[in-house]
Amino acid sequence: MPLTINNLNHRIHDGHTERWLLTRVSLNITPGECVALTGDSGSGKTTLLNLIAGLEPVQQGEIYVGGQGLQHAKDKTLSLLRKQTLAMIFQHYNLLSSLNVMDNISFSARLAGRYDEEHSLSLAKNLGIDHLLDHYPDTLSGGEMQRVAIARALGPRPKLLLADEPTGNLDNSNSDKVIAQLLSLAKSHHSALLMVTHSSSVAEKMDKIYRLKDGLLSQQSGGG
Ligand SMILES: Nc1ncnc2c1ncn2[C@@H]1O[C@H](COP(=O)(O)OP(=O)(O)OP(=O)(O)O)[C@@H](O)[C@H]1O
């Protein structure tokens, strides 16, 4: 299973007080399943993604990514997991400005020791950015940059893709195209996808929709 979360509780310091941000959160995502994570601003969506990526320590409960438990995992295990098993896509793309598109796409796969030129080129072709391979990020549109970020994330063939508002900076027609490409590539790679989104039309395109409210995660109707 790419992602299993059992009874996760997470407490934060809010000024001088402490409060539970996440309570009894459980979630399973199967290979190739695409799941939307929704919830009001401040409900804890980004914190949950950070916990799954091993960027914040698990306080109570269990998170398994590709079978690897994150609770009690050492930093080395977590950094290997981020290289080999999961990938993240951000709203602000996080491309490397000194590398051209081809090198940006190859970057994560090289880091994971899984670089495959044919695979990188096929991702670029599928995402419609193969004519931009020698361009640099500052010459690209927002939609093009997000496509490069998606190709880079899929380069190492991750079991789990985490995406935080990946189309938040795009207009509706670009957003629809990028989401359609992301879903179809995630499915064809059998990568599970957990995507934070504020857009109900984006959420509806996913297999399942979950909502975080008052610390609790619940499945909503819709999606699929
Ligand atoms: N390490 C931390 N210490 C203290 N407070 C934190 C910490 N991490 C997150 N918070 C707080 O937890 C709450 C949830 O933040 P988070 O970014 O996870 O929400 P979100 O649902 O992603 O919001 P948005 O949709 O606005 O991005 C916020 O009130 C934030 O200030």
Side-chain angles (χ1 to χ4, degrees), residues 12-13 19 21 39-48 56 198:
I12 55 165
H13 293 272
R19 70 179 170 100
L21 180 63
D40 291 344
S41 182
S43 57
K45 303 178 297 297
T46 299
T47 305
L48 182 57
E56 293 208 37
H198 282 114

Side-chain angles (χ1 to χ4, degrees), residues 10-83:
H10 190 74
R11 197 175 46 227
I12 55 165
H13 293 272
D14 221 350
H16 293 297
T17 56
E18 281 198 346
R19 70 179 170 100
W20 291 101
L21 180 63
L22 304 173
T23 47
R24 300 191 305 280
V25 166
S26 293
L27 177 67
N28 275 309
I29 307 189
T30 57
E33 193 172 40
C34 296
V35 172
L37 176 59
T38 66
D40 291 344
S41 182
S43 57
K45 303 178 297 297
T46 299
T47 305
L48 182 57
L49 288 198
N50 287 341
L51 283 159
I52 296 167
L55 297 170
E56 293 208 37
V58 177
Q59 298 169 352
Q60 285 182 5
E62 298 172 328
I63 302 179
Y64 294 90
V65 177
Q68 167 71 55
L70 304 197
Q71 52 291 345
H72 318 304
K74 302 246 182 322
D75 284 353
K76 202 171 159 196
T77 307
L78 294 174
S79 94
L80 203 63
L81 191 88
R82 282 193 292 272
K83 266 191 231 159

